Amino acid sequence: MKFFADTADTAAIKDLAATGLLDGVTTNPSLIAKSGRDFMEVTKEICGLTDGPVSAEVVALDHETMMKEAEVLRKIADNVCIKVPLTIDGLKTCKALTSEGTMVNVTLCFSANQALLAAKAGATFVSPFVGRHDDNGFDGMSLISDIRLIYDNYLFETQILVASVRHATHVLESARIGADVATMPPAVIKALANHVLTDKGIEGFMADWAKTGQSIIK
Ligand code: G3P
C-alpha cells in the first residue's frame, strides 16, 4: 500500500520524504489555505520533494473552466495529478484529461456508485473520505470494502486512495481490505511506528547495554 502525505506543509513533507516512506502528496484548497502560501509556488515546491504524484485541486465547478485550470496546473511538473470533485462536470473533466494521459484524482467520493462512475471516467485515483463518512454516522471502511469489491469485479485499474484518514485503525483496515493508497496527515504516518512495547523494549536493551560499558563505534 502506498502512503501519501495529506498536507501542503513543505517542512513536514521533506521530513517524511527523508524516511523513504513517502510515495506522494495530496493537497486540497483547505490545506493550501492553511499553508498561507501561493498555490502555484507551494505546489511546485512539493512536486520537487517527491517523485510520486502530487494532487492539486481545481476550484472551478464547470467543465470548461476546470479544463482551463488543469492546463495551468499540469504545467507545474510532470508529477502533478489533477484533482477534480466527484460531480458530472468533474467526471467529464476526468475523462478528457485521462484520455490525454494526465493523472486525475477524483475527490469527495462518499458512495460506491460514485466510485463506479470515477472508474468509468478513467480516474487514476478515487478518493473516498472515510473520516468524514464516519463523522456523519456512516461506516467509512465498509465504503472502501464495497469499492474494492466492485473494482475487482470489473478489473478497473483506478486506484483506491483512502482519504480523510484520522487514525491508525483507518490505515490498518485499508491495508486489510487492499486499498491501493492511504493519504494521511504526517502525524498519522509517524504514529504508525509507535508501540508501547517497542518503547519498553528499547528502554530495557539500553539499560542492559549500558551495563556492558561497551560502544559499537570506537
Ligand atoms: O485531502 C482530502 C481529505 O484527506 C481531507 O481530510 O480530514 O479534511 O476530512 P479531512
Side-chain angles (χ1 to χ4, degrees), residues 158-199:
T158 298
Q159 295 181 52
I160 304 171
L161 194 170
V162 183
S164 190
V165 167
R166 302 275 165 78
H167 46 69
T169 308
H170 279 150
V171 184
L172 176 62
E173 289 302 314
S174 298
R176 278 192 171 139
I177 293 164
D180 303 282
V181 191
T183 190
M184 298 163 260
V188 173
I189 299 182
K190 287 191 158 185
L192 297 177
N194 296 342
H195 198 288
V196 64
L197 293 179
T198 304
D199 296 343

mmCIF file of all heavy atoms in Angstrom, residues 158-199:
data_model
loop_
_atom_site.group_PDB
_atom_site.id
_atom_site.type_symbol
_atom_site.label_atom_id
_atom_site.label_comp_id
_atom_site.label_asym_id
_atom_site.label_seq_id
_atom_site.Cartn_x
_atom_site.Cartn_y
_atom_site.Cartn_z
ATOM 1 N N THR A 158 -8.473 1.895 -11.685
ATOM 2 C CA THR A 158 -8.483 3.078 -10.818
ATOM 3 C C THR A 158 -8.021 2.675 -9.419
ATOM 4 O O THR A 158 -8.483 1.678 -8.873
ATOM 5 C CB THR A 158 -9.910 3.670 -10.754
ATOM 6 O OG1 THR A 158 -10.275 4.065 -12.066
ATOM 7 C CG2 THR A 158 -9.986 4.863 -9.808
ATOM 8 N N GLN A 159 -7.072 3.451 -8.887
ATOM 9 C CA GLN A 159 -6.545 3.121 -7.565
ATOM 10 C C GLN A 159 -7.410 3.743 -6.462
ATOM 11 O O GLN A 159 -7.798 4.905 -6.562
ATOM 12 C CB GLN A 159 -5.101 3.622 -7.437
ATOM 13 C CG GLN A 159 -4.160 2.919 -8.394
ATOM 14 C CD GLN A 159 -2.737 3.409 -8.234
ATOM 15 O OE1 GLN A 159 -2.190 3.429 -7.150
ATOM 16 N NE2 GLN A 159 -2.134 3.816 -9.342
ATOM 17 N N ILE A 160 -7.694 2.941 -5.446
ATOM 18 C CA ILE A 160 -8.479 3.422 -4.297
ATOM 19 C C ILE A 160 -7.532 4.143 -3.345
ATOM 20 O O ILE A 160 -6.631 3.533 -2.762
ATOM 21 C CB ILE A 160 -9.183 2.257 -3.577
ATOM 22 C CG1 ILE A 160 -10.065 1.463 -4.555
ATOM 23 C CG2 ILE A 160 -10.000 2.770 -2.389
ATOM 24 C CD1 ILE A 160 -10.627 0.164 -3.987
ATOM 25 N N LEU A 161 -7.744 5.465 -3.255
ATOM 26 C CA LEU A 161 -6.897 6.329 -2.424
ATOM 27 C C LEU A 161 -7.725 6.724 -1.197
ATOM 28 O O LEU A 161 -8.592 7.600 -1.297
ATOM 29 C CB LEU A 161 -6.496 7.553 -3.257
ATOM 30 C CG LEU A 161 -5.373 8.472 -2.791
ATOM 31 C CD1 LEU A 161 -5.007 9.457 -3.904
ATOM 32 C CD2 LEU A 161 -5.695 9.230 -1.538
ATOM 33 N N VAL A 162 -7.510 6.037 -0.099
ATOM 34 C CA VAL A 162 -8.318 6.301 1.094
ATOM 35 C C VAL A 162 -7.919 7.665 1.663
ATOM 36 O O VAL A 162 -6.751 7.898 1.969
ATOM 37 C CB VAL A 162 -8.133 5.193 2.154
ATOM 38 C CG1 VAL A 162 -9.032 5.447 3.354
ATOM 39 C CG2 VAL A 162 -8.415 3.819 1.549
ATOM 40 N N ALA A 163 -8.910 8.562 1.765
ATOM 41 C CA ALA A 163 -8.642 9.932 2.227
ATOM 42 C C ALA A 163 -9.446 10.220 3.483
ATOM 43 O O ALA A 163 -10.278 9.413 3.904
ATOM 44 C CB ALA A 163 -9.004 10.917 1.122
ATOM 45 N N SER A 164 -9.151 11.394 4.076
ATOM 46 C CA SER A 164 -9.788 11.781 5.339
ATOM 47 C C SER A 164 -9.491 10.725 6.406
ATOM 48 O O SER A 164 -10.346 10.363 7.207
ATOM 49 C CB SER A 164 -11.308 11.959 5.123
ATOM 50 O OG SER A 164 -11.918 12.541 6.228
ATOM 51 N N VAL A 165 -8.250 10.246 6.371
ATOM 52 C CA VAL A 165 -7.790 9.243 7.339
ATOM 53 C C VAL A 165 -7.457 9.963 8.645
ATOM 54 O O VAL A 165 -6.731 10.947 8.637
ATOM 55 C CB VAL A 165 -6.544 8.515 6.766
ATOM 56 C CG1 VAL A 165 -5.839 7.705 7.841
ATOM 57 C CG2 VAL A 165 -6.945 7.634 5.583
ATOM 58 N N ARG A 166 -8.006 9.459 9.742
ATOM 59 C CA ARG A 166 -7.846 10.171 11.020
ATOM 60 C C ARG A 166 -6.948 9.434 12.005
ATOM 61 O O ARG A 166 -6.439 10.029 12.936
ATOM 62 C CB ARG A 166 -9.218 10.374 11.671
ATOM 63 C CG ARG A 166 -10.211 11.137 10.819
ATOM 64 C CD ARG A 166 -10.053 12.643 10.980
ATOM 65 N NE ARG A 166 -10.747 13.369 9.929
ATOM 66 C CZ ARG A 166 -12.068 13.572 9.894
ATOM 67 N NH1 ARG A 166 -12.817 13.117 10.853
ATOM 68 N NH2 ARG A 166 -12.608 14.240 8.898
ATOM 69 N N HIS A 167 -6.837 8.109 11.857
ATOM 70 C CA HIS A 167 -6.094 7.349 12.872
ATOM 71 C C HIS A 167 -5.564 6.030 12.289
ATOM 72 O O HIS A 167 -5.921 5.635 11.170
ATOM 73 C CB HIS A 167 -6.980 7.081 14.099
ATOM 74 C CG HIS A 167 -8.351 6.589 13.735
ATOM 75 N ND1 HIS A 167 -8.563 5.354 13.192
ATOM 76 C CD2 HIS A 167 -9.567 7.190 13.801
ATOM 77 C CE1 HIS A 167 -9.855 5.200 12.956
ATOM 78 N NE2 HIS A 167 -10.483 6.303 13.320
ATOM 79 N N ALA A 168 -4.745 5.371 13.113
ATOM 80 C CA ALA A 168 -4.060 4.143 12.683
ATOM 81 C C ALA A 168 -5.029 3.025 12.294
ATOM 82 O O ALA A 168 -4.712 2.220 11.402
ATOM 83 C CB ALA A 168 -3.137 3.672 13.805
ATOM 84 N N THR A 169 -6.194 2.965 12.921
ATOM 85 C CA THR A 169 -7.134 1.894 12.593
ATOM 86 C C THR A 169 -7.656 2.048 11.162
ATOM 87 O O THR A 169 -7.879 1.050 10.470
ATOM 88 C CB THR A 169 -8.301 1.863 13.612
ATOM 89 O OG1 THR A 169 -7.725 1.818 14.912
ATOM 90 C CG2 THR A 169 -9.188 0.655 13.418
ATOM 91 N N HIS A 170 -7.849 3.287 10.720
ATOM 92 C CA HIS A 170 -8.236 3.502 9.312
ATOM 93 C C HIS A 170 -7.171 2.923 8.378
ATOM 94 O O HIS A 170 -7.493 2.345 7.333
ATOM 95 C CB HIS A 170 -8.367 5.008 9.016
ATOM 96 C CG HIS A 170 -9.667 5.624 9.438
ATOM 97 N ND1 HIS A 170 -9.777 6.935 9.814
ATOM 98 C CD2 HIS A 170 -10.926 5.097 9.507
ATOM 99 C CE1 HIS A 170 -11.050 7.209 10.100
ATOM 100 N NE2 HIS A 170 -11.763 6.106 9.930
ATOM 101 N N VAL A 171 -5.907 3.078 8.757
ATOM 102 C CA VAL A 171 -4.804 2.597 7.903
ATOM 103 C C VAL A 171 -4.790 1.062 7.902
ATOM 104 O O VAL A 171 -4.693 0.427 6.844
ATOM 105 C CB VAL A 171 -3.439 3.148 8.390
ATOM 106 C CG1 VAL A 171 -2.320 2.715 7.450
ATOM 107 C CG2 VAL A 171 -3.488 4.671 8.511
ATOM 108 N N LEU A 172 -4.906 0.488 9.086
ATOM 109 C CA LEU A 172 -4.896 -0.972 9.213
ATOM 110 C C LEU A 172 -6.044 -1.593 8.409
ATOM 111 O O LEU A 172 -5.837 -2.542 7.627
ATOM 112 C CB LEU A 172 -5.014 -1.354 10.702
ATOM 113 C CG LEU A 172 -5.120 -2.847 11.003
ATOM 114 C CD1 LEU A 172 -3.868 -3.586 10.539
ATOM 115 C CD2 LEU A 172 -5.336 -3.073 12.488
ATOM 116 N N GLU A 173 -7.244 -1.048 8.567
ATOM 117 C CA GLU A 173 -8.398 -1.582 7.838
ATOM 118 C C GLU A 173 -8.232 -1.398 6.322
ATOM 119 O O GLU A 173 -8.599 -2.280 5.543
ATOM 120 C CB GLU A 173 -9.696 -0.906 8.312
ATOM 121 C CG GLU A 173 -10.119 -1.320 9.712
ATOM 122 C CD GLU A 173 -10.324 -2.822 9.844
ATOM 123 O OE1 GLU A 173 -10.961 -3.423 8.974
ATOM 124 O OE2 GLU A 173 -9.811 -3.407 10.821
ATOM 125 N N SER A 174 -7.657 -0.276 5.921
ATOM 126 C CA SER A 174 -7.427 -0.037 4.485
ATOM 127 C C SER A 174 -6.488 -1.094 3.923
ATOM 128 O O SER A 174 -6.696 -1.611 2.816
ATOM 129 C CB SER A 174 -6.806 1.351 4.270
ATOM 130 O OG SER A 174 -7.678 2.347 4.726
ATOM 131 N N ALA A 175 -5.440 -1.410 4.683
ATOM 132 C CA ALA A 175 -4.469 -2.413 4.232
ATOM 133 C C ALA A 175 -5.117 -3.801 4.178
ATOM 134 O O ALA A 175 -4.871 -4.588 3.262
ATOM 135 C CB ALA A 175 -3.257 -2.403 5.161
ATOM 136 N N ARG A 176 -5.961 -4.107 5.177
ATOM 137 C CA ARG A 176 -6.653 -5.412 5.192
ATOM 138 C C ARG A 176 -7.553 -5.569 3.971
ATOM 139 O O ARG A 176 -7.655 -6.638 3.382
ATOM 140 C CB ARG A 176 -7.527 -5.521 6.443
ATOM 141 C CG ARG A 176 -6.763 -5.931 7.676
ATOM 142 C CD ARG A 176 -7.758 -6.289 8.765
ATOM 143 N NE ARG A 176 -7.094 -6.881 9.902
ATOM 144 C CZ ARG A 176 -7.398 -6.612 11.169
ATOM 145 N NH1 ARG A 176 -8.358 -5.753 11.440
ATOM 146 N NH2 ARG A 176 -6.765 -7.203 12.135
ATOM 147 N N ILE A 177 -8.236 -4.487 3.622
ATOM 148 C CA ILE A 177 -9.186 -4.525 2.503
ATOM 149 C C ILE A 177 -8.456 -4.568 1.161
ATOM 150 O O ILE A 177 -8.961 -5.074 0.172
ATOM 151 C CB ILE A 177 -10.141 -3.301 2.588
ATOM 152 C CG1 ILE A 177 -11.028 -3.426 3.820
ATOM 153 C CG2 ILE A 177 -10.988 -3.158 1.332
ATOM 154 C CD1 ILE A 177 -11.732 -2.130 4.221
ATOM 155 N N GLY A 178 -7.232 -4.009 1.151
ATOM 156 C CA GLY A 178 -6.471 -3.992 -0.100
ATOM 157 C C GLY A 178 -6.610 -2.680 -0.847
ATOM 158 O O GLY A 178 -6.549 -2.660 -2.086
ATOM 159 N N ALA A 179 -6.806 -1.587 -0.109
ATOM 160 C CA ALA A 179 -6.797 -0.259 -0.754
ATOM 161 C C ALA A 179 -5.398 -0.032 -1.329
ATOM 162 O O ALA A 179 -4.418 -0.570 -0.812
ATOM 163 C CB ALA A 179 -7.138 0.815 0.274
ATOM 164 N N ASP A 180 -5.335 0.745 -2.389
ATOM 165 C CA ASP A 180 -4.045 0.956 -3.054
ATOM 166 C C ASP A 180 -3.183 1.999 -2.348
ATOM 167 O O ASP A 180 -1.949 1.892 -2.335
ATOM 168 C CB ASP A 180 -4.277 1.388 -4.508
ATOM 169 C CG ASP A 180 -5.107 0.362 -5.254
ATOM 170 O OD1 ASP A 180 -4.527 -0.670 -5.634
ATOM 171 O OD2 ASP A 180 -6.326 0.550 -5.420
ATOM 172 N N VAL A 181 -3.841 3.034 -1.832
ATOM 173 C CA VAL A 181 -3.133 4.174 -1.238
ATOM 174 C C VAL A 181 -3.907 4.652 -0.016
ATOM 175 O O VAL A 181 -5.137 4.584 0.001
ATOM 176 C CB VAL A 181 -3.080 5.379 -2.229
ATOM 177 C CG1 VAL A 181 -2.134 6.462 -1.730
ATOM 178 C CG2 VAL A 181 -2.727 4.956 -3.650
ATOM 179 N N ALA A 182 -3.183 5.160 0.973
ATOM 180 C CA ALA A 182 -3.841 5.921 2.055
ATOM 181 C C ALA A 182 -3.140 7.268 2.106
ATOM 182 O O ALA A 182 -1.903 7.321 2.110
ATOM 183 C CB ALA A 182 -3.722 5.214 3.391
ATOM 184 N N THR A 183 -3.916 8.343 2.094
ATOM 185 C CA THR A 183 -3.315 9.661 2.268
ATOM 186 C C THR A 183 -3.620 10.110 3.680
ATOM 187 O O THR A 183 -4.764 10.023 4.135
ATOM 188 C CB THR A 183 -3.768 10.678 1.202
ATOM 189 O OG1 THR A 183 -2.938 11.844 1.352
ATOM 190 C CG2 THR A 183 -5.235 11.073 1.282
ATOM 191 N N MET A 184 -2.562 10.543 4.360
ATOM 192 C CA MET A 184 -2.702 10.802 5.796
ATOM 193 C C MET A 184 -1.985 12.063 6.207
ATOM 194 O O MET A 184 -0.955 12.400 5.622
ATOM 195 C CB MET A 184 -2.033 9.654 6.579
ATOM 196 C CG MET A 184 -2.607 8.317 6.374
ATOM 197 S SD MET A 184 -1.443 7.043 6.933
ATOM 198 C CE MET A 184 -0.715 6.527 5.400
ATOM 199 N N PRO A 185 -2.485 12.730 7.262
ATOM 200 C CA PRO A 185 -1.701 13.819 7.841
ATOM 201 C C PRO A 185 -0.355 13.220 8.290
ATOM 202 O O PRO A 185 -0.321 12.069 8.757
ATOM 203 C CB PRO A 185 -2.537 14.264 9.048
ATOM 204 C CG PRO A 185 -3.925 13.758 8.780
ATOM 205 C CD PRO A 185 -3.749 12.495 7.978
ATOM 206 N N PRO A 186 0.747 13.980 8.181
ATOM 207 C CA PRO A 186 2.060 13.451 8.568
ATOM 208 C C PRO A 186 2.079 12.833 9.965
ATOM 209 O O PRO A 186 2.725 11.802 10.180
ATOM 210 C CB PRO A 186 2.971 14.682 8.483
ATOM 211 C CG PRO A 186 2.336 15.518 7.418
ATOM 212 C CD PRO A 186 0.862 15.321 7.565
ATOM 213 N N ALA A 187 1.340 13.419 10.905
ATOM 214 C CA ALA A 187 1.344 12.882 12.279
ATOM 215 C C ALA A 187 0.784 11.457 12.317
ATOM 216 O O ALA A 187 1.242 10.633 13.112
ATOM 217 C CB ALA A 187 0.527 13.787 13.193
ATOM 218 N N VAL A 188 -0.185 11.166 11.466
ATOM 219 C CA VAL A 188 -0.770 9.808 11.443
ATOM 220 C C VAL A 188 0.249 8.821 10.873
ATOM 221 O O VAL A 188 0.401 7.705 11.392
ATOM 222 C CB VAL A 188 -2.100 9.784 10.647
ATOM 223 C CG1 VAL A 188 -2.615 8.366 10.485
ATOM 224 C CG2 VAL A 188 -3.155 10.638 11.345
ATOM 225 N N ILE A 189 0.981 9.226 9.840
ATOM 226 C CA ILE A 189 2.010 8.328 9.264
ATOM 227 C C ILE A 189 3.043 8.000 10.337
ATOM 228 O O ILE A 189 3.387 6.848 10.564
ATOM 229 C CB ILE A 189 2.705 8.964 8.031
ATOM 230 C CG1 ILE A 189 1.688 9.239 6.920
ATOM 231 C CG2 ILE A 189 3.839 8.055 7.525
ATOM 232 C CD1 ILE A 189 2.269 9.812 5.632
ATOM 233 N N LYS A 190 3.523 9.030 11.029
ATOM 234 C CA LYS A 190 4.561 8.810 12.052
ATOM 235 C C LYS A 190 4.043 7.969 13.217
ATOM 236 O O LYS A 190 4.771 7.129 13.752
ATOM 237 C CB LYS A 190 5.072 10.146 12.571
ATOM 238 C CG LYS A 190 5.962 10.853 11.551
ATOM 239 C CD LYS A 190 6.654 12.017 12.195
ATOM 240 C CE LYS A 190 7.894 12.384 11.422
ATOM 241 N NZ LYS A 190 8.654 13.440 12.080
ATOM 242 N N ALA A 191 2.783 8.175 13.583
ATOM 243 C CA ALA A 191 2.215 7.445 14.721
ATOM 244 C C ALA A 191 2.123 5.939 14.450
ATOM 245 O O ALA A 191 2.058 5.140 15.394
ATOM 246 C CB ALA A 191 0.837 7.998 15.061
ATOM 247 N N LEU A 192 2.148 5.538 13.171
ATOM 248 C CA LEU A 192 2.072 4.107 12.849
ATOM 249 C C LEU A 192 3.273 3.350 13.418
ATOM 250 O O LEU A 192 3.209 2.145 13.624
ATOM 251 C CB LEU A 192 2.018 3.903 11.323
ATOM 252 C CG LEU A 192 0.798 4.482 10.603
ATOM 253 C CD1 LEU A 192 0.924 4.258 9.102
ATOM 254 C CD2 LEU A 192 -0.496 3.871 11.128
ATOM 255 N N ALA A 193 4.373 4.063 13.660
ATOM 256 C CA ALA A 193 5.587 3.410 14.175
ATOM 257 C C ALA A 193 5.529 3.199 15.692
ATOM 258 O O ALA A 193 6.358 2.477 16.247
ATOM 259 C CB ALA A 193 6.817 4.251 13.822
ATOM 260 N N ASN A 194 4.555 3.822 16.342
ATOM 261 C CA ASN A 194 4.527 3.779 17.815
ATOM 262 C C ASN A 194 3.951 2.487 18.377
ATOM 263 O O ASN A 194 2.928 1.994 17.902
ATOM 264 C CB ASN A 194 3.683 4.946 18.360
ATOM 265 C CG ASN A 194 4.285 6.290 18.024
ATOM 266 O OD1 ASN A 194 5.464 6.390 17.694
ATOM 267 N ND2 ASN A 194 3.477 7.338 18.097
ATOM 268 N N HIS A 195 4.630 1.951 19.372
ATOM 269 C CA HIS A 195 4.059 0.853 20.158
ATOM 270 C C HIS A 195 4.703 0.894 21.539
ATOM 271 O O HIS A 195 5.929 1.006 21.649
ATOM 272 C CB HIS A 195 4.299 -0.509 19.502
ATOM 273 C CG HIS A 195 3.375 -1.565 20.042
ATOM 274 N ND1 HIS A 195 3.505 -2.098 21.298
ATOM 275 C CD2 HIS A 195 2.269 -2.147 19.497
ATOM 276 C CE1 HIS A 195 2.537 -2.974 21.512
ATOM 277 N NE2 HIS A 195 1.771 -3.016 20.431
ATOM 278 N N VAL A 196 3.878 0.766 22.552
ATOM 279 C CA VAL A 196 4.379 0.865 23.922
ATOM 280 C C VAL A 196 5.426 -0.216 24.212
ATOM 281 O O VAL A 196 6.410 0.009 24.928
ATOM 282 C CB VAL A 196 3.192 0.828 24.942
ATOM 283 C CG1 VAL A 196 2.468 -0.498 24.888
ATOM 284 C CG2 VAL A 196 3.666 1.159 26.333
ATOM 285 N N LEU A 197 5.258 -1.411 23.613
ATOM 286 C CA LEU A 197 6.212 -2.495 23.880
ATOM 287 C C LEU A 197 7.538 -2.271 23.155
ATOM 288 O O LEU A 197 8.577 -2.769 23.588
ATOM 289 C CB LEU A 197 5.597 -3.849 23.497
ATOM 290 C CG LEU A 197 4.414 -4.281 24.373
ATOM 291 C CD1 LEU A 197 3.860 -5.617 23.906
ATOM 292 C CD2 LEU A 197 4.817 -4.351 25.847
ATOM 293 N N THR A 198 7.472 -1.531 22.030
ATOM 294 C CA THR A 198 8.724 -1.160 21.346
ATOM 295 C C THR A 198 9.508 -0.217 22.255
ATOM 296 O O THR A 198 10.723 -0.400 22.466
ATOM 297 C CB THR A 198 8.420 -0.477 19.993
ATOM 298 O OG1 THR A 198 7.604 -1.350 19.225
ATOM 299 C CG2 THR A 198 9.688 -0.159 19.219
ATOM 300 N N ASP A 199 8.809 0.789 22.812
ATOM 301 C CA ASP A 199 9.465 1.764 23.707
ATOM 302 C C ASP A 199 10.045 1.047 24.939
ATOM 303 O O ASP A 199 11.174 1.297 25.341
ATOM 304 C CB ASP A 199 8.465 2.828 24.180
ATOM 305 C CG ASP A 199 7.949 3.674 23.023
ATOM 306 O OD1 ASP A 199 8.588 3.664 21.948
ATOM 307 O OD2 ASP A 199 6.896 4.318 23.180
#
